[in-house]
Amino acid sequence: MTTTLYNKYRPHALRDVNQDFVARVLKSQIKSGKFPAAYLFQGPPGTGKTTIERIMAAAMLCQNLDEGEPCGACQDCKLIQAGRHRDVMEENCADHSGIDDIRSIIEERLRIAPSSGKYRIFILDEVQRLSRDAQGAMLKHLEEPPAHVRFFLCTTDPEKLLNALQTRCQRHVLKPLSADNLVSLMTGVCEK
């Protein structure tokens, strides 16, 4: 099995994502242990939306947090990094955009309690690709989620989302990396 560079060198800590303001806000939530039911990360491709969602999922389930960051060494962190944690469901809405998809992705799994840890986490990538009916079905779950469920939605095009859907989420806008950030990032990858 081949590994893509962006997965091999994907950051595993908020301090490494080059989104300082968003990282500070999220780190304070991790330290307090208080998380909203739903997050919406928006920004152009390559700004770290999915990476941040995975880091937050790890932080919510990590057994040994280290100053507001997931440890990366416990069983939960390793399973999330490998994309195999039973309580973290990651779906690409570009491939599953209909109302029946949302029902099978969320409704059938929503009632299941977490197998380990406190939360069952749904990461929905490219959420703007959901049909209007699917967004409406999703809205119902964002309004009254079970206490053990957290949602992470990410989009490159928030204008395509229902307003009501956006208002049920804590929104974080990610900015493109500066030229200096990109040079630093690529230098680090080359050194590794």
Side-chain angles (χ1 to χ4, degrees):
M1 180 181 198
T2 60
T3 303
T4 57
L5 286 177
Y6 69 86
N7 277 325
K8 184 174 183 176
Y9 297 105
R10 182 185 295 267
H12 297 291
L14 288 170
R15 67 180 161 270
D16 300 328
V17 296
N18 292 309
Q19 297 287 343
D20 295 337
F21 178 75
V22 173
R24 264 195 317 272
V25 170
L26 297 176
K27 211 176 224 187
S28 70
Q29 290 177 357
I30 293 167
K31 287 178 179 179
S32 74
K34 296 179 181 174
F35 307 103
Y39 292 86
L40 175 63
F41 294 97
Q42 66 184 65
T47 53
K49 297 178 295 294
T50 304
T51 296
I52 291 173
E53 291 172 337
R54 289 179 184 176
I55 293 169
M56 285 300 292
M60 288 178 174
L61 299 175
C62 181
Q63 301 161 15
N64 306 304
L65 284 174
D66 180 21
E67 295 185 32
E69 298 277 10
C71 71
C74 70
Q75 183 72 9
D76 288 317
C77 285
K78 287 180 181 178
L79 287 170
I80 290 168
Q81 289 171 8
R84 297 182 316 188
H85 199 288
R86 293 171 57 190
D87 291 328
V88 179
M89 279 70 52
E90 188 170 339
E91 296 291 339
N92 187 332
C93 295
D95 299 330
H96 307 284
S97 60
I99 190 166
D100 291 335
D101 294 318
I102 285 299
R103 286 185 179 134
S104 68
I105 292 168
I106 296 174
E107 290 179 12
E108 294 174 11
R109 301 177 190 172
L110 201 62
R111 293 180 293 274
I112 301 170
S115 61
S116 65
K118 191 173 180 180
Y119 299 107
R120 196 155 172 84
I121 298 167
F122 293 87
I123 296 174
L124 301 175
D125 200 6
E126 298 297 331
V127 76
Q128 80 275 2
R129 302 283 296 269
L130 290 175
S131 69
R132 289 287 186 199
D133 289 340
Q135 288 185 41
M138 181 79 203
L139 182 60
K140 175 182 137 191
H141 301 298
L142 292 180
E143 288 176 335
E144 299 174 9
H148 66 273
V149 171
R150 294 296 179 267
F151 290 100
F152 291 97
L153 313 176
C154 78
T155 181
T156 55
D157 196 354
E159 292 78 29
K160 292 184 178 177
L161 294 177
L162 294 174
N163 233 11
L165 193 72
Q166 293 183 48
T167 61
R168 301 314 190 272
C169 300
Q170 184 180 87
R171 275 175 89 168
H172 295 278
V173 179
L174 281 66
K175 308 263 188 244
L177 299 181
S178 69
D180 289 342
N181 287 140
L182 286 172
V183 168
S184 174
L185 180 67
M186 293 308 297
T187 301
V189 169
C190 290
E191 287 171 355
K192 291 178 187 173

